[in-house]
Amino acid sequence: MRVVHNSLHDEVAATLREAIFSGTLAPGSFVDEAALCERLSISRTPLREALKVLTAEGLLRHEPRRGCFVAEVTQKDLDEIFPVIALLEGRCAWEAARNASDAELDALEALHDKLARHARAKRINEYYTTNYAIHEAIIMLADNRWLAQVIGDLRKILKLARLQQLHAPGRLEQSLSEHLAVFAALKARDSDGAEAAMRTHLNRQREALRAVALQQKAKLIS
């Protein structure tokens, strides 16, 4: 595989980022620079620039005299990130309720209809995909690039954790109900209600993840 692009280190960063998100580069694993240079047919310079980018994003950690390692997300990290992202995405919902056109809300309603169909059919992977699209749409409707930038950075860190909160008992139905509450507030142009509903949705995601972690721990002990 050869990476060829005008901005080579950006392309290398994108390649490595995808390898991290897919699990090809596992959490905690060492980033072997020599092997990557050979595999990608590049020199050390663009690779090291790419590693700097991913370190700044929080996807890698650099240890002096040892090199780079793929970051690992702890329960403490999740406890700290979720309240922040709830505030930020809550603000997005607040702004979206004020900014969205009727046509944009119609498109968002179609996404929610699809979400409901996936929930009823218990199609969790498809639900995740549509859920992500809805969050992205609300961020876009807020039309605030600063919010979008910070949320994007935090979501990259959360993606490292390979979160599976929908596997908690009853969570799929609860998640759908929360999404519908957010959309109802958006459609009513209720900024405060949309903000509150989005914060509730994200904080309950964290509660569900904690429940899943406890279940997994109990299985290991037993």
Side-chain angles (χ1 to χ4, degrees):
M1 178 173 57
R2 180 172 178 80
V3 179
V4 179
H5 222 275
N6 290 335
S7 181
L8 186 55
H9 80 268
D10 286 337
E11 187 70 11
V12 174
T15 299
L16 296 180
R17 194 181 291 114
E18 183 54 38
I20 291 169
F21 290 154
S22 69
T24 305
L25 289 174
S29 64
F30 173 67
V31 178
D32 188 331
E33 293 187 23
L36 282 172
C37 285
E38 182 176 353
R39 183 164 69 89
L40 300 175
S41 300
I42 56 173
S43 68
R44 285 288 179 100
T45 299
L47 176 62
R48 287 180 172 168
E49 289 301 312
L51 296 180
K52 288 178 184 177
V53 170
L54 297 180
T55 300
E57 291 178 359
L59 299 181
L60 298 176
R61 72 175 192 277
H62 180 263
E63 297 186 9
R65 296 181 297 280
R66 293 192 66 203
C68 287
F69 296 80
V70 179
E72 298 173 271
V73 179
T74 67
Q75 291 298 313
K76 183 175 185 293
D77 291 327
L78 296 179
D79 284 339
E80 293 173 348
I81 290 171
F82 266 94
V84 176
I85 204 164
L87 286 170
L88 296 171
E89 289 208 44
R91 179 66 188 187
C92 278
W94 189 93
E95 296 192 10
R98 297 166 63 90
N99 296 338
S101 68
D102 290 342
E104 287 168 333
L105 288 176
D106 287 343
L108 194 58
E109 185 166 21
L111 280 175
H112 281 83
D113 290 342
K114 183 186 292 187
L115 192 74
R117 290 195 298 273
H118 292 322
R120 286 193 294 269
K122 308 294 185 186
R123 293 189 293 260
I124 289 182
N125 289 339
E126 291 83 355
Y127 186 97
Y128 270 118
T129 300
T130 307
N131 172 76
Y132 185 86
I134 287 171
H135 281 269
E136 285 290 295
I138 293 172
I139 291 166
M140 288 184 65
L141 292 176
D143 195 25
N144 184 322
R145 67 188 180 97
W146 302 108
L147 275 174
Q149 179 178 312
V150 178
I151 291 169
D153 289 343
L154 288 175
R155 289 177 84 174
K156 287 174 188 172
I157 303 301
L158 291 178
K159 202 169 180 181
L160 280 178
R162 290 169 179 74
L163 307 178
Q164 295 292 317
Q165 46 97 15
L166 292 177
H167 291 283
R171 178 57 192 155
L172 187 63
E173 295 77 12
Q174 185 187 52
S175 173
L176 176 62
S177 176
E178 291 159 11
H179 264 292
L180 293 176
V182 173
F183 180 68
L186 290 172
K187 198 168 183 179
R189 307 289 182 178
D190 177 5
S191 292
D192 291 339
E195 180 175 23
M198 181 62 83
R199 287 192 188 184
T200 295
H201 173 54
L202 286 158
N203 285 324
R204 285 183 180 166
Q205 276 189 24
R206 178 64 190 117
E207 292 169 9
L209 283 167
R210 189 176 289 108
V212 169
L214 288 172
Q215 287 174 351
Q216 291 173 342
K217 186 176 180 180
K219 286 180 181 178
L220 289 173
I221 293 172
S222 62

